[in-house]
C-alpha cells in the first residue's frame, strides 16, 4: 500500500462498505479486509488507521467473530464502531459487555463530554443526534479507557484510551442519520491518523486502467452493456484502457424498459463504443415461462446471459474475459464476500452466475457505490443525461412482475413505468429521486369503469431518495402529481384499475420489491 490508507476489518455489518465510502469522501484511500486477516498482513500494509466494523453477533457468544488483542497494540489508531467497540471492551482487561435491558435502535441523543479536549469530537456540539442499532452495551470500561459520550440507554456510548489512540463508538458515524457524521470520521482519518487527501476518482481511473491492461494483456474482453449507468461507464472505461479489444455486447432480453433498445444504441454511438447487439427476447422469455420465485428468476436470467455471451463469442472469436458493471450494493445483498454479513437477495450478475461460467470476470466497480461510478463517468466525459439515469436491476422487469413473466404483463408494466417516469420528469422531480419504478402486483381488485364492473390488476409505484442505496426514504411526490400519474395509468394502460404508492423506507424494506 503506497498511499496513506485506512483498513476496515469487516465483522458482518451491512454498513461496512459505507464506512469505506465515507472515508473515500475525505479523499483518503480505504479498503475492507475480513476480520480473519493475519496481523502480519496488516503490518505489511502499514495502514494509517484501523476501523473495526459493526456486526450482528454478540461478543460474548463462543462463535462470534473476534480478532487477536494484538491488533490493538500495533501503535496504529483504532476506531471500533458498535460491535467493534464492544469487541475492544471484550478483548481488553477490565471491560465488560452484557445484553442491554432495552435494545437501542434509531435516533438517540448523544451527550458529548469532551468536544474541546477530545480530537475525535472536535467541532461538534455537546448534544448530537446519533444512529444506534444494538442490543448489547458496555457496562464496564477496559483499563485505561474513559467515557467521552453517553445516551440515556448507553452510559458508555463512546470511549477512548488516549495513550494508545484506541477509540470506540456505540453509534454509527457512517450513516447519514448521525448528525455531523462526516466531522467524526474526518477527525479520525485526517487529524488522528494523519492521512493525506490524495485519493480521487481521477486516481481510481488511472489505477483501474493500469490494472485492466495488466490483467487483459493482448486478450479481448466482452463487456456486458445494459444501457444503465454502470455498464455504460464501464464500457467507456474499457474502451479508454484497451480500445477495440473491448467488445460491448448489448442483449435485448425482452425485460427492458420502454424504448430502451433505441436509447442504448443511440448512446453507444455517441460514446464511440464498439457495440454488438443481440435480440435474445424469445430465449429469455421461454426460459422464464412458468417461473414465479424471484431467486429462481435471477439464476435463470444470469445463466441465460452467459449462454447468450457464449454463443456470441462463437461468432466473434475467442474472448477470455467478461466485464460487468457490478457494484457493491449488488455484492453485499447477494453474497458474504469479506465478512459474515447476511445475504439479502441474489443478484443475477453476482450470486446468479452459473458455476461453469466460461469467462474470467473483470469487475472494476465491484467495491464502488453508484454515486462514485457517476463521478468516474463525469471524469470520462460521459454526458450528464446518461449518468443521471435511475438505477435499473440487471434482471430487468422480471423482478418487478411479482408472478410469472409473460409478454402481456411485460407490456402492461412497461407502459405504466413509462408514464410514471415521464410524469416525474415533467414535474421536475426526476433528478431529486434516486430511483423510481412501477411494480405489477399479483392481485386483482374490483373497480368501476364506464359504469361497468371491472376486475383487473393493481400497479404499485415506488420512488425513493438516497445517496448510496444502502439506506433510502420514500420520496414525497406531491399529491397532484401522483393523482395525474394514477389517472394516466388507469386510463391508458389496459388491464389496470388501481394504483398504489409505496411509503416504506430502507430499512426495513428494500428498494426493489423482489
Amino acid at each position: 500500500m503506497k498511499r496513506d490508507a485506512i483498513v476496515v476489518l469487516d465483522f458482518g455489518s451491512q454498513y461496512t462498505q459505507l464506512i469505506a465510502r465515507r472515508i473515500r469522501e475525505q479523499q483518503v484511500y480505504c479498503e475492507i479486509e475480513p476480520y480473519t486477516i493475519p496481523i502480519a498482513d496488516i503490518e505489511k500494509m502499514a495502514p494509517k488507521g484501523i476501523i473495526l466494523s459493526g456486526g450482528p453477533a454478540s461478543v460474548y457468544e463462543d462463535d462470534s467473530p473476534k480478532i487477536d488483542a494484538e491488533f490493538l497494540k500495533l501503535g496504529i489508531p483504532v476506531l471500533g464502531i458498535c460491535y467493534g467497540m464492544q469487541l475492544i471492551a471484550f478483548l481488553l482487561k477490565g471491560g465488560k459487555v452484557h445484553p442491554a435491558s432495552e435494545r437501542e435502535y434509531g435516533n438517540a441523543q448523544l451527550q458529548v463530554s469532551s468536544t474541546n479536549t477530545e480530537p475525535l469530537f472536535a467541532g461538534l456540539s455537546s448534544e448530537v443526534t446519533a444512529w444506534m442499532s444494538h442490543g448489547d452495551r458496555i457496562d464496564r470500561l477496559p483499563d485505561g479507557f474513559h467515557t467521552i459520550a453517553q445516551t440515556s440507554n448507553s452510559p458508555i456510548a463512546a470511549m477512548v484510551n488516549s495513550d494508545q489512540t484506541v477509540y470506540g463508538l456505540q453509534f454509527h458515524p457512517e450513516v447519514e442519520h448521525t448528525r455531523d457524521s462526516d466531522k467524526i470520521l474526518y477527525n479520525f482519518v485526517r487529524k488522528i491518523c494523519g492521512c493525506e487527501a490524495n485519493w480521487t476518482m481521477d486516481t481510481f481511473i488511472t489505477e483501474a486502467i493500469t490494472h485492466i491492461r495488466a490483467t487483459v494483456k493482448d486478450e479481448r474482453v466482452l463487456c456486458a452493456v445494459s444501457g444503465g449507468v454502470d455498464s455504460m461507464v464501464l464500457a467507456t472505461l474499457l474502451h479508454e484502457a484497451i480500445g477495440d479489444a473491448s467488445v460491448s455486447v448489448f442483449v435485448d432480453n425482452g425485460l427492458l424498459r420502454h424504448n430502451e433498445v433505441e436509447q442504448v444504441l443511440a448512446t453507444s454511438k455517441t460514446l464511440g463504443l464498439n457495440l454488438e447487439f443481440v435480440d435474445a427476447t424469445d430465449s429469455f422469455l421461454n426460459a422464464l415461462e412458468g417461473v414465479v420465485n424471484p431467486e429462481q428468476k435471477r439464476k435463470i436470467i444470469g445463466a441465460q446471459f452467459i449462454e447468450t455471451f457464449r454463443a456470441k463469442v462463437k461468432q466473434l472469436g475467442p474472448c477470455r474475459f467478461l466485464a460487468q458493471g457490478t457494484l457493491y450494493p449488488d455484492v453485499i445483498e447477494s453474497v458474504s464476500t469479506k465478512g459474515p454479513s447476511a445475504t439479502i437477495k441474489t443478484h443475477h450478475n453476482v450470486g446468479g452466475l452459473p458455476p461453469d461460467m466460461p469467462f474470467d470476470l473483470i469487475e472494476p466497480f465491484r467495491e464502488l457505490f453508484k454515486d462514485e461510478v457517476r463521478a468516474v463517468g463525469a471524469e470520462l466525459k460521459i454526458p450528464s443525461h446518461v449518468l443521471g439515469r435511475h438505477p435499473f436491476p440487471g434482471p430487468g422487469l422480471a423482478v418487478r412482475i411479482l408472478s410469472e413473466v409473460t409478454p402481456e404483463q411485460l407490456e402492461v408494466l412497461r407502459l405504466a413505468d413509462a408514464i410514471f417516469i415521464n410524469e416525474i420528469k415533467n414535474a421536475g422531480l426526476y433528478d431529486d429521486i434516486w430511483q423510481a419504478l412501477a411494480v405489477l402486483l399479483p392481485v386483482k381488485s374490483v373497480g368501476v369503469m364506464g359504469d361497468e364492473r371491472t376486475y383487473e390488476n393493481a400497479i404499485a409505484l415506488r420512488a425513493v431518495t438516497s445517496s448510496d442505496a444502502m439506506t433510502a426514504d420514500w420520496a414525497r411526490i406531491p399529491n397532484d402529481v401522483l393523482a395525474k400519474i394514477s389517472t394516466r395509468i388507469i386510463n391508458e394502460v389496459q388491464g389496470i384499475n388501481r394504483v398504489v404508492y409505496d411509503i416504506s423506507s430502507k430499512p426495513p424494506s428494500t428498494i426493489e420489491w423482489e
Side-chain angles (χ1 to χ4, degrees), residues 280-432:
T281 299
D282 290 343
S283 59
F284 275 83
L285 295 188
N286 289 339
L288 289 168
E289 188 174 350
V291 178
V292 174
N293 183 278
E295 287 294 283
Q296 192 177 354
K297 287 179 184 177
R298 287 187 177 87
K299 291 184 182 298
I300 288 171
I301 291 167
Q304 199 64 41
F305 268 117
I306 296 304
E307 288 306 310
T308 304
F309 294 144
R310 197 197 304 260
K312 191 63 180 177
V313 166
K314 289 182 179 179
Q315 298 177 12
L316 298 173
C319 280
R320 175 184 166 190
F321 297 97
L322 172 65
Q324 295 188 136
T326 305
L327 303 189
Y328 186 74
D330 300 334
V331 176
I332 197 66
E333 290 186 339
S334 298
V335 287
S336 178
T337 56
K338 299 200 173 184
S341 44
T343 298
I344 307 300
K345 61 185 176 182
T346 297
H347 287 257
H348 83 288
N349 57 338
V350 186
L353 293 177
D356 60 341
M357 193 178 68
F359 302 99
D360 292 336
L361 285 179
I362 294 179
E363 298 175 309
F365 304 152
R366 191 177 176 88
E367 294 193 347
L368 295 186
F369 284 82
K370 178 75 70 173
D371 59 329
E372 292 177 310
V373 173
R374 286 189 171 117
V376 170
E379 290 285 343
L380 294 171
K381 310 301 183 188
I382 296 176
S384 58
H385 74 272
V386 177
L387 298 178
R389 294 194 76 191
H390 287 182
F392 186 64
L397 298 180
V399 290
R400 294 179 180 175
I401 295 174
L402 309 190
S403 59
E404 180 186 0
V405 178
T406 67
E408 295 76 20
Q409 288 181 317
L410 283 165
E411 187 59 21
V412 166
L413 183 55
R414 263 192 207 101
L415 292 175
D417 183 76
I419 290 170
F420 186 23
I421 299 302
N422 179 256
E423 288 302 330
I424 61 174
K425 285 182 176 179
N426 289 342
L429 301 173
Y430 186 83
D431 291 339
D432 296 326

Side-chain angles (χ1 to χ4, degrees), residues 9-11 33-37 63-67 71 338-340:
L9 298 187
D10 179 19
F11 292 92
E33 295 294 340
Y35 73 92
T36 52
I37 186 173
D63 59 349
S64 62
K66 297 181 179 71
I67 56 172
F71 274 89
K338 299 200 173 184

Side-chain angles (χ1 to χ4, degrees), residues 73-151:
K73 302 174 184 177
L74 294 173
I76 300 170
V78 175
L79 173 63
I81 296 175
C82 198
Y83 179 88
M85 173 183 176
Q86 296 163 10
L87 184 60
I88 291 171
F90 179 84
L91 293 173
L92 298 179
K93 182 180 178 182
K96 294 294 182 183
V97 181
H98 293 103
S101 58
E102 293 182 12
R103 176 179 168 86
E104 192 173 28
Y105 181 83
N107 289 330
Q109 294 307 305
L110 187 75
Q111 304 297 324
V112 181
S113 56
S114 305
T115 56
N116 295 325
T117 59
E118 179 47 60
L120 187 65
F121 292 149
L124 271 67
S125 61
S126 59
E127 185 171 306
V128 175
T129 300
W131 182 258
M132 293 285 191
S133 180
H134 64 98
D136 298 330
R137 75 179 193 183
I138 296 172
D139 286 336
R140 194 166 74 196
L141 288 164
D143 294 351
F145 283 75
H146 64 274
T147 301
I148 54 176
Q150 59 187 358
T151 69

Side-chain angles (χ1 to χ4, degrees), residues 178-396:
T178 296
R179 197 180 75 197
D180 292 332
S181 57
D182 55 337
K183 289 183 181 177
I184 296 171
L185 290 176
Y186 176 89
N187 288 339
F188 179 73
V189 171
R190 300 290 303 279
K191 293 184 176 180
I192 295 169
C193 298
C195 291
E196 296 288 335
N198 56 13
W199 191 77
T200 64
M201 289 301 99
D202 182 59
T203 305
F204 171 83
I205 291 169
T206 300
E207 294 184 354
I209 287 174
T210 300
H211 180 71
I212 290 167
R213 288 172 177 169
T215 302
V216 172
K217 297 184 174 64
D218 56 355
E219 302 266 7
R220 287 203 303 173
V221 178
L222 206 65
C223 179
V225 169
S226 68
V229 174
D230 315 320
S231 66
M232 298 308 287
V233 175
L234 175 62
T236 305
L237 178 67
L238 284 168
H239 190 266
E240 186 87 6
I242 57 176
D244 286 343
S246 170
V247 181
S248 297
V249 176
F250 172 45
V251 177
D252 182 1
N253 57 7
L255 307 171
L256 301 176
R257 289 170 286 193
H258 187 61
N259 289 335
E260 188 93 42
V261 171
E262 294 80 2
Q263 291 177 27
V264 173
L265 294 177
T267 300
S268 299
K269 185 176 181 180
T270 299
L271 295 174
L273 300 179
N274 179 17
L275 184 73
E276 294 282 336
F277 173 66
V278 179
D279 186 350
T281 299
D282 290 343
S283 59
F284 275 83
L285 295 188
N286 289 339
L288 289 168
E289 188 174 350
V291 178
V292 174
N293 183 278
E295 287 294 283
Q296 192 177 354
K297 287 179 184 177
R298 287 187 177 87
K299 291 184 182 298
I300 288 171
I301 291 167
Q304 199 64 41
F305 268 117
I306 296 304
E307 288 306 310
T308 304
F309 294 144
R310 197 197 304 260
K312 191 63 180 177
V313 166
K314 289 182 179 179
Q315 298 177 12
L316 298 173
C319 280
R320 175 184 166 190
F321 297 97
L322 172 65
Q324 295 188 136
T326 305
L327 303 189
Y328 186 74
D330 300 334
V331 176
I332 197 66
E333 290 186 339
S334 298
V335 287
S336 178
T337 56
K338 299 200 173 184
S341 44
T343 298
I344 307 300
K345 61 185 176 182
T346 297
H347 287 257
H348 83 288
N349 57 338
V350 186
L353 293 177
D356 60 341
M357 193 178 68
F359 302 99
D360 292 336
L361 285 179
I362 294 179
E363 298 175 309
F365 304 152
R366 191 177 176 88
E367 294 193 347
L368 295 186
F369 284 82
K370 178 75 70 173
D371 59 329
E372 292 177 310
V373 173
R374 286 189 171 117
V376 170
E379 290 285 343
L380 294 171
K381 310 301 183 188
I382 296 176
S384 58
H385 74 272
V386 177
L387 298 178
R389 294 194 76 191
H390 287 182
F392 186 64

